[in-house]
Amino acid sequence: MKLKFTKMHGAGNDFVVIDGVNQHIDFTPAQWKLLGDRRFGVGADQILLVEKPTEAGCDFRYRIFNADGGEVEQCGNGSRAFVKFVSEKGLTDKRSISVQTKAGVIAPRLEANGSITVDMGAPILEPGRVPFETEGLHGEQQGSDTLWPLVLELGGARESVLISVVSMGNPHAVQIVDDVETAPVELTGPLIEHHPRFPKRVNAGFMQILNRQHVKLRVFERGVGETLACGTGACAAAVAGIRRGLLDSPVRIDARGGQLSIAWDGEGTPVWLTGPAVTVFEGEIEI
Ligand SMILES: N[C@H](CCC[C@H](N)C(=O)O)C(=O)O
């Protein structure tokens, strides 16, 4: 079929966005993967599919597929691209919409200055609390946060990294590093992503704290690899730092591809993600 798509990005995290309201889309994981392939397809970190909602009270449903073809629960940067897309395509005249996702309902809002703020819902802080054994190491509760030692096999050596486990509907393992530029993201990112501690794999965040309201962040994303920005990763990093008493809301997140802002008032309250969304080009592909 001839498929119309729009190429977009949010702080460098790039997407192929598809109108599934006016086109009937029912692809296999291999077709989703092809769309994301930078050699044989269009190329993107994620593919976003916009559909009519199946949940009462929602304006749309949006589904997210990683570059590896797997469907996932949530995408923060994608939610901003999504709201810009439905506005530009005239699929709605609302500036604040209610969107059904695999992880629940989120509420992105187009601001007058062109930026977009998204109510990403409350972080889920329990999933990692299940006691687990990794080579005899147990998860440790430290302060109000759960810090887990993760033992990584690096060649013949073993390295233990302390991570915070935070879910934004999708799983994140966040660690604090001295310098994101020299952090071993390419080396340990895949080891964390595929660690047995995370049966559904995990997004691995590497956060450098500059001051109590400003961090640098790199994320090795599940199903993709390192991206230029990760919205839910930014949410998870800010939540982890605030819970550990190291950060104060709002937090400025410097990703390699751009700047995001996260606000969070504590457990049980929603995380607010603010940042840009850019339309790069329109296209059509035979798939
Ligand atoms: N790779 C993520 C999905 C996309 C998240 C990221 N692009 C964002 O902006 O939140 C996962 O497998 O959970």
Side-chain angles (χ1 to χ4, degrees), residues 13 15 46 64 66 72-78 170-172 203 221-224 227 229-233:
N13 184 193
F15 310 108
Q46 281 87 28
I64 303 131
N66 277 328
V72 291
E73 309 89 344
Q74 195 54 274
C75 181
N77 290 324
N170 61 338
H172 291 269
N203 299 284
E221 285 199 31
R222 176 180 62 170
V224 186
T227 57
C230 178
T232 49

